[in-house]
Amino acid sequence: MKNQRNISEFILLGLSYDQNIEIFCFVLFLFCYVALLAGNLLILVSIRCSSLFHQPMYYFLSHLSSTDICYTSTVTPKLIADLLVQRKTISYSNCMLQIFTMHFFGGIEIFILTAMAFDRYAAICKPLHYVIIMNRKRCHLLVLAAWAGGAIHALPLFSTAIGLPFCGPNEIDHYFCDVFPLLKVACTDTYITGVLVVAFSGMISLVTFIVLFVSYGIILFTLRNLSAEGRRKALSTCWSHVTVVILFFGPAIFIYLRPPTTFPEDKIFALFYTIIAPMFNPLIYTLRNSEMKKAVRKVWCSSLFSKETHS
């Protein structure tokens, strides 16, 4: 590896050259990160401490919340800290680690969202067999498959990045390490490598996105046979999932499913799947879900009541 590179760190150009904009972004993203952690921890604890944990949909939602925390924590704390310094650097080893962890947890999130879509399909389209189809063993296997899928997704991208030679320029026009920005500073022809990244990473996002929307299309078609109340309840959960899918997959497909190049707009689009979507997930799943709101009130109100009683 030492023969392939003569640099020990990369310089991140960040979101903006304007110090006032960076201070504004620091306050904004610090608030977003705190809200993200608080919201996802609220969902995680509320589900784990209530009977909802035994329902497949909320079992997957608890795993989605924990994945969101891990996923955004690979990028956001570094981004927030860099907004306060003039020279933003990241070591070579940390850069490679960031690429692996980001794509690993991002891959897990993709497959957990797919498992949640399968759960809604089974609940609405196969209601009489739902308990058999989505038994606890199958739920465990789907989560395990999501972790395996995340590793399978991340390892080739990590291997691609760590195999690139770097011999001169070390400025990355982004706020975190990713494969496409690294290709621009590599000392070799990266066209074939870029095509492979698109074929692998971009196609996974596109195929998963299509599968999810086909499944929701089948669900909407099936809803015609339900009562008005049944349709309302099913739609409330389905629209939550669809909103999350669009926020996460839309920007990811824009960045990874195109010729291997980078644009200034990439940094703005990347904010959607690294910070904004994980932050909005708790709001989307709680505000539109009556069972989740009841669980939150029950767990936290009873906790506060018990504290007041003991005091």
Side-chain angles (χ1 to χ4, degrees):
M1 188 58 59
K2 287 183 179 179
N3 294 330
Q4 289 185 297
R5 61 183 178 89
N6 60 3
I7 60 172
S8 59
E9 66 177 16
F10 294 102
I11 298 171
L12 300 171
L13 298 185
L15 286 171
S16 173
Y17 296 104
D18 190 320
Q19 191 173 7
N20 292 326
I21 293 176
E22 290 205 326
I23 292 171
F24 170 77
C25 288
F26 169 79
V27 175
L28 176 63
F29 295 142
L30 181 62
F31 170 78
C32 289
Y33 187 57
V34 171
L36 184 153
L37 292 178
N40 281 292
L41 285 171
L42 179 71
I43 284 184
L44 193 58
V45 174
S46 298
I47 292 175
R48 295 276 177 163
C49 297
S50 70
S51 58
L52 291 182
F53 186 66
H54 301 290
Q55 298 182 34
M57 184 179 113
Y58 298 101
Y59 172 76
F60 292 131
L61 180 55
S62 68
H63 281 280
L64 181 68
S65 291
S66 58
T67 303
D68 273 339
I69 292 171
C70 296
Y71 173 62
T72 197
S73 294
T74 64
V75 172
T76 308
K78 169 70 175 164
L79 165 63
I80 293 170
D82 282 347
L83 289 168
L84 294 178
V85 297
Q86 191 72 31
R87 191 170 184 269
K88 307 163 180 53
T89 62
I90 184 169
S91 68
Y92 176 87
S93 56
N94 285 341
C95 180
M96 296 300 118
L97 179 63
Q98 193 175 64
I99 287 174
F100 176 78
T101 52
M102 181 190 153
H103 285 282
F104 175 60
F105 289 114
I108 293 172
E109 178 142 348
I110 285 172
F111 294 116
I112 286 180
L113 287 170
T114 306
M116 293 174 77
F118 176 70
D119 170 71
R120 290 301 83 202
Y121 167 79
I124 295 168
C125 301
K126 307 283 183 182
L128 298 178
H129 302 95
Y130 176 69
V131 177
I132 299 171
I133 294 171
M134 297 304 296
N135 57 62
R136 185 42 62 110
K137 182 180 178 181
R138 181 158 289 158
C139 290
H140 288 324
L141 287 174
L142 286 171
V143 170
L144 187 62
W147 279 75
I152 292 169
H153 169 67
L155 283 171
L157 296 172
F158 173 71
S159 301
T160 297
I162 209 167
L164 291 171
F166 301 101
C167 54
N170 66 338
E171 288 189 345
I172 298 176
D173 189 14
H174 217 304
Y175 62 87
F176 66 91
C177 280
D178 204 0
V179 182
F180 278 170
L182 278 178
L183 293 181
K184 289 187 70 176
V185 297
C187 303
T188 185
D189 183 3
T190 59
Y191 179 77
I192 300 299
T193 306
V195 171
L196 291 174
V197 172
V198 171
F200 187 77
S201 190
M203 288 306 296
I204 282 182
S205 298
L206 180 63
V207 170
T208 308
F209 183 75
I210 292 171
V211 168
L212 289 172
F213 262 83
V214 167
S215 67
Y216 286 122
I218 295 170
I219 288 170
L220 291 174
F221 183 78
T222 307
L223 288 178
R224 299 177 310 152
N225 304 321
L226 297 181
S227 63
E229 178 62 22
R231 280 198 299 271
R232 187 196 63 76
K233 188 175 180 181
L235 283 171
S236 68
T237 57
C238 286
W239 284 125
S240 300
H241 296 174
V242 170
T243 306
V244 170
V245 166
I246 291 173
L247 279 174
F248 185 84
F249 281 93
I253 290 171
F254 171 79
I255 287 177
Y256 292 109
L257 196 69
R258 67 177 193 216
T261 185
T262 57
F263 299 114
E265 296 81 10
D266 288 355
K267 290 184 266 190
I268 304 301
F269 279 95
L271 289 172
F272 277 90
Y273 60 81
T274 56
I275 301 174
I276 295 172
M279 181 186 70
F280 276 110
N281 280 0
L283 290 174
I284 291 166
Y285 282 112
T286 52
L287 293 179
R288 296 183 60 88
N289 190 307
S290 58
E291 286 185 314
M292 194 67 233
K293 284 189 282 188
K294 287 178 185 174
V296 170
R297 281 196 297 265
K298 184 177 179 181
V299 169
W300 294 97
C301 289
S302 62
S303 175
L304 291 172
F305 179 75
S306 62
K307 282 183 179 179
E308 288 175 2
T309 305
H310 284 96
S311 62

